[in-house]
Amino acid sequence: MKALLLTCLLVPWLVSASARRFNQDSQLIPGSLIGKELSGYFNDQDYLKSRKAKRALPAGVDVMADEPDDSPIPEGGDASDLPTCLLCVCLTGSVYCEEVSPDMTAVPTLPKETAYLYARYNKINKIAAKDFADIVTLRRIDLTGNLISEIEDGAFSKLTLLEELSLAENRLVKLPMLPAKLISFNANHNLLKTRGVKATAFKKLTKLVNLFLADNQLEAVPQIPESVRIVHLQNNNITEISTDTFCKGNNTYYLRPNLNEVRMDGNPVLLAKYPNSFTCLKSLPVGRYH
């Protein structure tokens, strides 16, 4: 009877002790399932606590150096310190920097072989003489939709291959000297007045085909090269024209077959008052006649 009673007491105690021993060993033995689960659980909890603690820290307080920083570049940052081809898309001969974030406020440093630059809709406010000084391979520059109000003298002087230049939708009040081989020039939607555009600004551009100066504040029509086919001057402040504006007043036989599209709508000038000003053209300019 005593032996039976002793057995009933010892067996549960031995089973309980074995179970405790198994649990302790499983945490210590590498590769054991229970050890992995428990270890992972505690590691996850520690990680979550550290992340919560990091978010709770005041701004400017440093955290563990070995934890990766996954926060985005702050919106107020400047793109000038970052490599161009990290901010933009660089393909062979072409650089695309459109609506860059963080804000791009200056012309980026370009690869030496760049032929085409598209830097539209950024916050570039100035073109410096050094910006394109070393990129003589440029054929097209599109800076539409920036905040450009100043272009330094000689900014385009070394671009002997440049054929297309767009400065549309900026804040220009005057034009710089333009490259001689331009085929297309677009300065629509700026703040240009006649005093900011020399009468001879386009005279030496003997290959110019498209000239876009719409939506400015011009009071007169600048001299237009013989090569031009399309000229847009709509929505300016042009009040009058002369027989020499498009034709040659002293030569009644002079014809101008290339110039086939002239837009002057949205100007105060009444074109019907100047019938002898269009005798050399194939078609009448678009504008107000009555």
Side-chain angles (χ1 to χ4, degrees), residues 12 62 80 105 125 136 151 157 178 206 208 259 269:
D62 197 9
S80 60
T105 58
N125 52 57
V136 296
I151 300 177
S157 61
L178 299 170
T206 57
L208 191 65
L259 189 57
V269 62

Side-chain angles (χ1 to χ4, degrees), residues 105-107 119 122-128 132 141-152 156 165-174 189-191:
T105 58
V107 175
N122 291 294
K123 295 186 177 179
I124 299 170
N125 52 57
K126 178 181 178 180
I127 300 177
F132 302 117
I141 297 175
D142 192 341
L143 295 168
T144 299
N146 280 276
L147 305 174
I148 301 168
S149 59
E150 180 183 357
I151 300 177
E152 291 184 357
F156 304 118
L165 175 61
S166 178
L167 301 170
E169 298 176 43
N170 278 282
R171 299 178 179 179
L172 291 172
V173 295
K174 66 177 183 177
H189 293 279
N190 275 276
L191 304 173

